[in-house]
Structure formats: C-alpha cells, structure tokens
C-alpha cells in the first residue's frame, strides 16, 4: 500500500530522496539531434491553401452574378431578371434588323433624304465601293437604317462643304459626244462614231506623251476628263490648236456618209482628219481606203 501511495501521490518526487522526497524534478530527456537530409532530397512543399468558399447570399438578399453590370441589378431577383430580359430583347431586335442579303443596304429611302444629295444616294446602288462597305456592314451586323443614317450624314456634310460633285450620267454624256454628221445614222453607227471620237482624244493625249508630256500627267488628264462630254471637248480644243483640224467633226470609222448635199462635205472632213495622214502614228490604211472609196462613189471621176 505504501508503495502505491508514493507512486500516485508523489509522482514528481525522487524515489530515493530522503525525508518525504524533498528532491528536485527529474532532468528532462535530451532532444534528439537533427538528422541532415540526404543529398538531393527536398523538404516537402507546404499544402496549398484551400480556396475560400463562396458564401451564398444572405437570406432575403438578391443574387448578383459575377460580371453583370450594376445597372442590371434590381431590388430583388425578379427585377434583375426583368432588366436582363429587356436588354436581351433589344439585342434580338437589333440582330433582326440585319439583312441576309447585301443588296438590302442599297435600297435608300430617297424621298426621305435631303434633296441635294438624292442623286448621289441613288448612284450608290451600282457603286462597287459602297458594295464593299455594305459587305462589312453585314459581317458586323450593322442594321440597314444605321448604315443609311451614317451615309446620309457623310454626304450631307460633303454637300454643305461644297466638295460633293454632281453625279455623272454616262448615257447623257455619250449622247452629247455624237457628231452632228452621224445623228441620222443607225444606232450601231452612232455608237461607232462616239467610240471613234473618244479613241481619237485618248490617242491625242498619248501622242502628247511622246512629245514631252509626263506620263502621269497624261493619265491624270484622261482620268479627270474622259468621263464627260465637256472634258472631251477640252481635249479636242487643244488638239485642234496643235493639228489645225476640227476634232469635234466626224472621225474615221463613223460609218457611211449621210445622203444629201452634206455627204460630200462629211466625207471630205473625215479624209482631212489627222489620222488619215500616212505620217500620223495612228494612221489606218484600211479606214483611209474605205473612206476614199466612198468619196469616189459619191463623186464619179
């Protein structure tokens, strides 16, 4: 019994101390010496911290999806859904205004456009430059009305600034170039007379390039002048001053001379054209001989 009492009532007393165990506490065991890691061994990496759990919205608070603009949130989930539905409806309406054919962009509401730019807007339907713009507009899902509004604003500002050119009517310009002596001829011969006139003007500019006119200047002149009757008449004026011939009169290839008292004069004028001179760079022996044959038939002997 005594042994048990000493064991449990005095656990920190020395068992061999005298007089009731007045000895100090037993020395603590020595700490084990650290073991050096083997070469090449690395201490294990500490475990990655677990992501903080997303706290669900408190009871009674509206849910807020990440990334949703603040303007879309409502006072509760119902109002938020209503706002999102309104926004989606707007996108659907915008996409429905995008045509499935590029040609839809060419159909301007001319009667609603400013009167000063209506001819230019009408000409856009056949303009390949605007066709390229319409293609991009359809790829980018731009509504027809939006592109028309932008185009109208651009042309209106150009018109107000005085830099918008009047549209050119190719049919009217060609008709204005029909020589007087060819007006009674059939349509095919009239077209040939106009083409001959245009070709003669182009040849004159080319001839000037062979006599010192810079090529880029000649090409610029052709680009700016050849699409209108007045531009061609300007070239003919300078040509007449240099060659001494009236370039606005009939040209070789204009067809047979009209019957009547003016036939002789018409053929004579064509034979007198510079191109009928064997020394001219554009001399055509076949055309010369054909005109000469007509002249001989008209004036026997």
């Amino acid at each position: 019994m005594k042994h048990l009492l000493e064991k449990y009532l005095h656990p920190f007393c020395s068992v061999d101390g005298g007089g009731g165990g007045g000895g100090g506490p037993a020395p603590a065991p020595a700490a084990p010496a650290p073991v050096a890691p083997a070469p090449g061994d690395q201490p294990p990496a500490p475990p990655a911290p677990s992501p903080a759990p997303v706290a669900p919205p408190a009871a009674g608070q509206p849910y807020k999806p990440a990334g949703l603009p603040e303007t879309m949130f409502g006072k509760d989930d119902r109002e938020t859904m209503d706002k999102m539905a309104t926004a989606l409806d707007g996108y659907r309406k915008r996409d429905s205004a995008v045509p499935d054919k590029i040609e839809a962009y060419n159909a301007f509401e001319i009667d609603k456009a400013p009167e000063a730019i209506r001819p230019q807007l009408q000409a856009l339907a056949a303009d390949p430059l605007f066709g390229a713009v319409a293609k991009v507009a359809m790829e980018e899902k731009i509504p027809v009305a939006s592109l028309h509004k932008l185009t109208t604003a651009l042309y209106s500002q150009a018109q107000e600034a005085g830099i918008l050119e009047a549209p050119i009517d190719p049919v009217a310009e060609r008709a204005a170039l029909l020589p007087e002596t060819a007006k009674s001829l059939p349509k095919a011969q009239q077209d040939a007379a106009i083409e001959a006139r245009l070709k003669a003007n182009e040849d004159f500019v080319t001839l000037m390039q062979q006599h010192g006119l810079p090529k880029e200047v000649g090409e610029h002149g052709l680009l700016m002048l050849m699409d209108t009757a007045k531009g061609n008449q300007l070239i003919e004026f300078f040509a007449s001053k240099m060659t001494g011939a009236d370039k606005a009169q009939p040209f070789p290839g204009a067809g047979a001379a009209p019957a009547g008292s003016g036939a002789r004069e018409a053929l004579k004028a064509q034979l007198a054209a510079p191109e009928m001179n064997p020394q001219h760079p554009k001399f055509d022996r076949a055309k010369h001989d054909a005109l000469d044959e007509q002249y001989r038939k008209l004036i026997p002997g």
Side-chain angles (χ1 to χ4, degrees), residues 8-156:
Y8 290 105
L9 294 178
H10 305 283
F12 299 110
C13 296
S14 175
V15 293
D16 51 354
V35 179
D41 290 347
Q42 297 294 332
S50 301
V54 179
Q61 295 295 323
Y63 172 64
K64 292 188 175 182
L68 192 67
E70 289 292 333
T71 55
M72 300 291 292
F73 292 126
K75 63 180 181 292
D76 52 28
D77 290 345
R78 182 184 184 88
E79 185 175 352
T80 300
M81 293 293 290
D82 288 342
K83 289 186 175 183
M84 294 175 65
T86 300
L88 290 175
D89 185 59
Y91 285 115
R92 284 194 298 267
K93 289 180 179 179
R94 183 202 65 181
D95 292 343
S96 66
V98 178
D100 54 0
K101 293 183 179 180
I102 297 180
E103 292 75 13
Y105 288 104
N106 297 336
F108 281 86
E109 294 181 326
I110 302 299
D111 57 333
K112 296 182 180 179
E115 187 173 357
I117 64 171
R118 290 178 184 178
Q120 284 80 5
L121 295 182
Q122 287 177 323
L124 287 180
D127 191 338
L129 299 180
F130 186 75
V133 174
K135 181 180 179 181
V136 175
M138 190 167 71
E139 292 174 352
E140 297 297 326
K141 299 187 181 302
I142 299 176
V144 172
S146 298
L147 183 61
H148 286 182
K149 188 174 182 180
L150 291 170
T151 306
T152 300
L154 174 63
Y155 274 71
S156 296

Side-chain angles (χ1 to χ4, degrees), residues 227-284:
D227 59 344
T228 64
K230 287 183 173 60
N232 279 272
Q233 291 165 3
L234 179 62
I235 295 176
E236 291 168 351
F237 175 81
F238 289 115
S240 67
K241 295 301 180 182
M242 298 188 67
T243 63
D246 185 0
K247 303 289 287 183
Q249 294 305 310
F251 288 85
S261 60
R264 180 185 303 179
E265 289 74 11
L267 281 172
K268 187 176 180 179
Q270 293 183 61
L271 284 169
E275 291 83 359
M276 293 296 100
N277 188 330
Q279 304 302 321
H280 194 277
K282 296 298 181 179
F283 175 72
D284 189 325

Side-chain angles (χ1 to χ4, degrees), residues 116-117 120 153-166:
I117 64 171
Q120 284 80 5
L154 174 63
Y155 274 71
S156 296
Q157 289 299 312
Q159 191 275 331
E160 291 180 8
I163 60 175
L164 190 64
E165 295 185 359

